[in-house]
Amino acid sequence: MDQHIAEAIGRPDLIRLGDRLVCLRFETMKVVSALAAVRHLLDTGVVRRGDTLLDSSSGIYAYALALACHRHGMHCHVVGSTTVDKTLRTQLAVLGATLEQMEPCDDLKLDQKRRVERIHEILAAHPEYHWMRQYHDDIHYLGYRAIADRIREETGTEWLTVVGGVGSGASTGALTRYLRDSSGGVSGNLSGQASSSAPTGSPTAIPPGCRTGAAPTDVELVGVQPYGSLTFGAQHTSDPEIIIAGIGSSIPFGNVSHELYDTLHWISFDAALSGAVDLLRRHAVFAGLSTGAAYLAARHEHDRAPERTVLFIAPDTGHRYTDTVYTRHREAAPLAHLAPRDIAEQTELALPWSRMPWNRTPSPPLGA
């Protein structure tokens, strides 16, 4: 029996949508990483019950951290994006979390920059607060081990393709590292200290390679990005409709391990909307905009290699997208009318959908 609602919310569903097409569906995905991260910080003595945990969020992580703090008797302070809606603001308030929301802004790059600046101002005034650094601290990988074990048990890891929005890099990165280790565990142990003091870059708690002596498994990773995100060198592009918050970035994220990714898809708002609507109409899965983008990419990868099992990540439900996406369902294009433009480099990126082999390149090419 669960001891707190956060444990139930963080437990995903594995749903088979068709032959070798699987949806890993969460109610709120980042609860998994927030719970494990806070538990680790408490167990290692980095924080104590009653301390204040601080971070920036575009929405999902704010709720996840508030739940983790509620579960473990901590205070929660969030610097929130302009995308945090009324429903989430109300939930955070009732849960006892403090939210500072940025003023409305159409530029996600400016929004993220202002949030980071505000974090530093708060830390200067309250050095006793612990900054969770969801974008850079690899303790956020820890919660995905059990999920990877379940995927391994129910789908296997031979001829498996994982598709998901990149965002902070924790979910796709952690699942892939755990799944590529056929022995069921990953080499390297946490030292007992959070890695928030480590330089940003590739994570330190979970080394890039598998356990010594373990045979590699055939797990491919496909990342989904919005136009305008610099994570994989698309900052020179823009989507006139919207930049999909949560799966892209205007600042470097230390938890993104570029060398894990085999293929990248850049998907526009309109194409993601079509994917989300089709997923609900065809499979009755009500999920967010980033899920619509991941579903679109997953279907394409499945068609390209039908012998592989393709699993895509659905990180949240569709409730906060009702007005911006689902009320516009009549605008959704049939998926048969959508196909990516295959490109060889980022200079060829074009809306609404581009696909490029990444081939586990360590980082974006200079000047991309």
Side-chain angles (χ1 to χ4, degrees):
M1 183 180 296
D2 294 322
Q3 301 302 307
H4 191 273
I5 186 62
E7 295 158 7
I9 291 174
R11 187 180 304 112
D13 304 306
L14 271 172
I15 306 167
R16 187 173 300 281
L17 303 185
D19 185 28
R20 299 186 180 275
L21 181 63
V22 178
C23 176
L24 180 66
R25 184 254 184 203
F26 292 85
E27 181 174 341
T28 304
M29 180 181 69
K30 289 190 177 181
V31 172
V32 173
S33 55
L35 275 177
V38 173
R39 181 71 265 169
H40 176 76
L41 292 172
L42 287 166
D43 289 345
T44 55
V46 175
V47 300
R48 295 178 297 177
R49 289 176 64 89
D51 285 353
T52 296
L53 304 183
L54 167 71
D55 215 341
S56 164
S57 173
S58 61
I60 296 178
Y61 187 79
Y63 180 52
L65 185 60
L67 285 173
C69 287
H70 189 278
R71 168 71 175 86
H72 293 295
M74 317 287 289
H75 298 291
C76 177
H77 191 107
V78 174
V79 178
S81 169
T82 61
T83 58
V84 176
D85 61 18
K86 180 180 178 181
T87 300
L88 179 54
R89 290 197 302 269
T90 303
Q91 286 179 291
L92 294 176
V94 175
L95 285 169
T98 302
L99 171 67
E100 292 187 40
Q101 188 170 12
M102 295 292 99
E103 293 297 323
C105 176
D106 294 331
D107 187 345
L108 179 60
K109 297 179 181 179
L110 181 59
D111 182 73
Q112 285 187 324
K113 181 175 182 292
R114 290 190 304 172
R115 281 189 277 143
V116 172
E117 290 173 349
R118 181 57 186 149
I119 289 285
H120 286 291
E121 292 174 355
I122 294 170
L123 289 173
H126 297 279
E128 74 278 12
Y129 287 7
H130 181 84
W131 184 11
M132 292 298 293
R133 301 175 79 248
Q134 63 147 325
Y135 303 132
H136 306 296
D137 196 329
D138 59 358
I139 60 172
H140 291 90
Y141 276 41
L142 296 174
Y144 294 98
R145 181 190 295 272
I147 297 170
D149 289 343
R150 183 180 170 198
I151 293 171
R152 180 183 291 107
E153 291 171 2
E154 297 197 29
T155 71
T157 55
E158 294 183 358
W159 300 98
L160 175 66
T161 299
V162 176
V163 180
V166 178
S168 70
S171 59
T172 51
L175 287 173
T176 301
R177 287 188 175 189
Y178 289 129
L179 289 168
R180 282 180 182 165
D181 177 18
S182 61
S183 63
V186 175
S187 62
N189 294 312
L190 288 165
S191 63
Q193 297 293 325
S195 61
S196 58
S197 60
T200 59
S202 60
T204 56
I206 306 174
C210 295
R211 183 188 301 274
T212 302
T217 55
D218 180 41
V219 177
E220 292 188 355
L221 178 57
V222 176
V224 178
Q225 286 273 273
Y227 290 91
S229 174
L230 66 69
T231 307
F232 288 89
Q235 63 270 25
H236 61 286
T237 64
S238 63
D239 185 339
E241 182 78 45
I242 192 174
I243 294 177
I244 305 173
I247 67 170
S249 177
S250 64
I251 58 177
F253 286 169
N255 273 341
V256 177
S257 295
H258 296 82
E259 71 277 5
L260 295 175
Y261 296 83
D262 296 282
T263 306
L264 267 295
H265 286 251
W266 288 269
I267 295 178
S268 71
F269 173 89
D270 290 339
L273 180 151
S274 297
V277 170
D278 187 90
L279 181 61
L280 178 58
R281 180 177 291 134
R282 190 187 304 262
H283 300 289
V285 176
F286 185 47
L289 191 62
S290 62
T291 300
Y295 169 65
L296 198 63
R299 282 174 54 95
H300 181 77
E301 296 299 324
H302 180 267
D303 290 344
R304 288 177 67 96
E307 73 281 2
R308 299 186 66 87
T309 296
V310 179
L311 177 146
F312 69 95
I313 301 170
D316 62 352
T317 66
H319 295 87
R320 67 181 181 137
Y321 301 94
T322 300
D323 292 335
T324 57
V325 174
Y326 287 100
T327 57
R328 299 171 56 178
H329 63 90
R330 291 180 180 84
E331 301 174 25
L335 296 198
H337 296 176
L338 297 175
R341 173 181 179 174
D342 288 309
I343 62 174
E345 56 185 29
Q346 292 94 330
T347 57
E348 302 172 24
L349 281 166
L351 275 69
W353 183 5
S354 298
R355 178 186 185 274
M356 187 177 84
W358 188 257
N359 300 322
R360 307 190 188 184
T361 304
S363 61
L366 293 176

